[in-house]
Amino acid sequence: MRGLSIYAATIADGARRLFDGMPPRKKRKSAPPVSGLDRIGALPDSLLHHVLSFLPAQAAVQTCVLARRWRHLWRSTTGLRIVGLAEEENLNVKELRKFVDHLLILRERTNLDTVEIKFAYFCEEDQPYVKTWVRFAVMNKVRALTLSIDSPVDLHLDNLPLVSRYLRTLDLKSVALQETFLDFASCPALEDLKMNYCNIDADRISSCSLKHLSISDCSSKLDCRVHVSAPGLISLKLVGFIGRTPFLENMPLLDTAYVDLDEDCEDVCLNYVTGVFCGAKDNACVNCVPIKDDISSDLVLLGGISSAKHLKLLSESRNFIFARDLKHTSTFSKLKTLLLNEYWCQAPDLDPLACILKNSPVLEKLTLQLFSKGPNHKVEMKGHYCSMEGPSTISKHLNILEVKCNVVDKRILKVLKFLSSFNICFSF
């Protein structure tokens, strides 16, 4: 009995120290008294651990004062959320250091399903603390890890290679990433990787197990392209990349890809004139001249995603990557649905649009979103392939064609006339 009393006193003291480490909270109006049985407290431990995992760590610890039944439940939750509470959305790392350090010491060494570390303010002196928390998550076999820093200062995960047989999902925001971190050979179970507003200081992202990859508004200051090697990928999102367009290696299992090259992409033709690029000629601009060690004569994007069944391909007008890839492209043998913007329809002969249509033999649905970003468009027209009007060089399976725009002007009429040459009829 004496030993149990000492143990209970130790835990109680630990809980008090956790509360001492919390930043002061705003006062609330007292809640009305609760009557009746504690029906929630009667639930099994495993279920209560799961419920507490959805709470910020501060709130989960505070449940220890509810009743004797709740005293130690927080120590074995299956999830850990190191975030600010609702009224503390601008909480910074410094205000939680003491609390989190105590929390990690007092927790049971139970496996973690999820860990979320999210802060609005972050400074250089916070780096070692957050890295320690990440190591703790990995050591406790975390399956889903989220790191989100809403701050001008990035979290640098250099010299912190991930080694985990259990990690399946990794969600990163405003994190600086180096090659030691982005080589996921030691994470054989990783299937889902999301990177938002990350600085990629590596020439390669590689994973044989990855199935879903999202790279949104990330940047690279390297002179070479970031190579993406993920042969098992099923879905890909590459949007708003700042720097040179990443090089996509072969993805034979790819089902869906969404690529949007906007004005922040560096692969732009400096001599661009309405759908015409200067190309690799004597008078080519410095951006269009091929670089031997960059494999510029090969496909950058379209080669890697040519096996996809569903594609959404958007680009800013001056970007030459898609146009140059089309000169070397292979057949999109599995492609069933395709969404394109006006980039594909601005060349004088609409050759980019013609090329991708001719190389998509099983295409069933084509959507052209022209000079209108949506989601609401003032004008929407539908068309279909008319097989009775003679042979066609495009897919005979094309039964749905949509043209979305804000106004039917000369540019739109030119596209409609071009499509009619492929036996496509429109209804207005």
Side-chain angles (χ1 to χ4, degrees):
M1 289 295 293
R2 178 178 175 81
L4 289 175
S5 299
I6 295 174
Y7 176 74
T10 302
I11 295 300
D13 180 63
R16 282 194 296 273
R17 284 189 286 119
L18 276 174
F19 288 133
D20 291 341
M22 291 183 188
R25 299 183 59 190
K26 297 178 181 178
K27 293 184 178 179
R28 293 180 175 176
K29 295 181 180 179
S30 59
V34 179
S35 60
L37 298 173
D38 181 8
R39 298 184 183 276
I40 296 179
L43 295 173
D45 281 4
S46 59
L47 187 55
L48 291 178
H49 289 153
H50 182 67
V51 171
L52 291 179
S53 298
F54 292 95
L55 296 177
Q58 307 93 302
V61 171
Q62 288 170 345
T63 62
C64 72
V65 301
L66 294 178
R68 184 181 297 274
R69 172 77 172 81
W70 293 82
R71 185 172 297 175
H72 306 302
L73 288 173
W74 61 270
R75 303 178 70 235
S76 304
T77 57
T78 57
L80 186 59
R81 298 188 64 228
I82 305 175
V83 299
L85 298 174
E87 69 272 28
E88 300 168 348
E89 292 181 354
N90 294 327
L91 194 68
N92 58 47
V93 175
K94 186 176 182 179
E95 292 175 323
L96 269 186
R97 287 178 188 170
K98 183 178 179 181
F99 166 74
V100 175
D101 287 345
H102 287 161
L103 172 68
L104 300 189
I105 292 172
L106 293 171
R107 267 188 57 90
E108 297 285 355
R109 289 300 179 263
T110 52
N111 295 345
L112 287 165
D113 288 335
T114 61
V115 171
E116 179 183 4
I117 302 174
K118 182 178 182 180
F119 290 100
Y121 295 104
F122 183 82
C123 60
E124 283 298 328
E125 65 182 24
D126 296 324
Q127 300 273 1
Y129 293 92
V130 177
K131 289 180 182 179
T132 298
W133 303 343
V134 172
R135 289 191 184 97
F136 177 88
V138 174
M139 288 174 58
N140 286 271
K141 303 177 182 180
V142 64
R143 298 178 63 190
L145 175 61
T146 297
L147 299 174
S148 179
I149 308 296
D150 288 324
S151 171
V153 178
D154 287 339
L155 169 63
H156 290 268
L157 293 182
D158 51 335
N159 301 320
L160 186 64
L162 278 184
V163 179
S164 173
R165 295 186 291 112
Y166 306 94
L167 186 65
R168 298 174 65 90
T169 300
L170 183 59
D171 192 342
L172 306 172
K173 181 179 180 182
S174 295
V175 177
L177 303 167
Q178 294 191 335
E179 192 159 356
T180 52
F181 188 89
L182 292 172
D183 180 359
F184 296 106
S186 298
C187 295
L190 185 64
E191 295 184 350
D192 193 340
L193 173 61
K194 296 178 182 176
M195 296 185 288
N196 297 281
Y197 301 101
C198 291
N199 178 27
I200 301 175
D201 189 19
D203 59 10
R204 193 172 190 82
I205 302 171
S206 60
S207 171
C208 292
S209 60
L210 206 60
K211 293 183 178 179
H212 308 283
L213 174 61
S214 176
I215 304 174
S216 299
D217 299 299
C218 294
S219 62
S220 174
K221 297 179 181 179
L222 300 178
D223 292 333
C224 61
R225 301 190 189 280
V226 178
H227 281 231
V228 178
S229 177
L233 213 61
I234 295 175
S235 68
L236 169 70
K237 180 179 179 181
L238 176 60
V239 175
F241 195 84
I242 303 171
R244 307 200 69 189
T245 306
F247 184 97
L248 304 181
E249 297 185 9
N250 189 32
M251 302 171 182
L253 304 180
L254 193 65
D255 181 81
T256 304
Y258 169 28
V259 180
D260 187 355
L261 307 178
D262 62 18
E263 63 275 3
D264 292 318
C265 176
E266 292 182 1
D267 294 307
V268 296
C269 176
L270 302 179
N271 297 330
Y272 173 83
V273 179
T274 315
V276 179
F277 302 93
C278 61
K281 301 176 183 179
D282 293 338
N283 61 343
C285 68
V286 292
N287 287 354
C288 287
V289 175
I291 303 174
K292 292 182 180 180
D293 61 359
D294 190 40
I295 322 179
S296 294
S297 59
D298 294 338
L299 301 171
V300 174
L301 291 175
L302 296 183
I305 62 178
S306 61
S307 297
K309 295 178 182 177
H310 310 281
L311 287 178
K312 182 177 180 180
L313 305 177
L314 311 179
S315 178
E316 192 270 336
S317 297
R318 296 186 304 146
N319 190 295
F320 57 74
I321 291 296
F322 282 136
R324 191 165 69 185
D325 274 7
L326 285 170
K327 297 178 180 179
H328 309 279
T329 191
S330 57
T331 301
F332 298 90
S333 58
K334 302 177 184 177
L335 187 60
K336 292 185 177 181
T337 67
L338 175 63
L339 189 150
L340 306 173
N341 70 340
E342 63 274 4
Y343 171 90
W344 301 82
C345 304
Q346 291 183 305
D349 54 359
L350 277 73
D351 187 60
L353 177 59
C355 183
I356 198 166
L357 287 179
K358 291 176 181 178
N359 286 283
S360 305
V362 297
L363 186 65
E364 297 177 359
K365 180 181 178 181
L366 171 65
T367 300
L368 297 178
Q369 191 171 291
L370 306 177
F371 308 100
S372 176
K373 293 185 177 181
N376 298 318
H377 309 273
K378 294 180 180 179
V379 180
E380 294 190 16
M381 295 170 280
K382 294 186 180 296
H384 63 278
Y385 172 69
C386 303
S387 58
M388 300 300 293
E389 297 186 9
S392 175
T393 57
I394 64 172
S395 170
K396 295 182 179 180
H397 305 280
L398 185 61
N399 49 39
I400 301 177
L401 193 148
E402 300 174 333
V403 176
K404 301 179 180 181
C405 57
N406 285 329
V407 61
V408 180
D409 55 17
K410 292 181 179 180
R411 298 171 300 178
I412 306 301
L413 290 174
K414 179 181 177 180
V415 174
L416 296 178
K417 182 179 180 181
F418 173 81
L419 292 172
S420 65
S421 66
F422 290 99
N423 296 341
I424 296 175
C425 306
F426 283 91
S427 56
F428 296 87

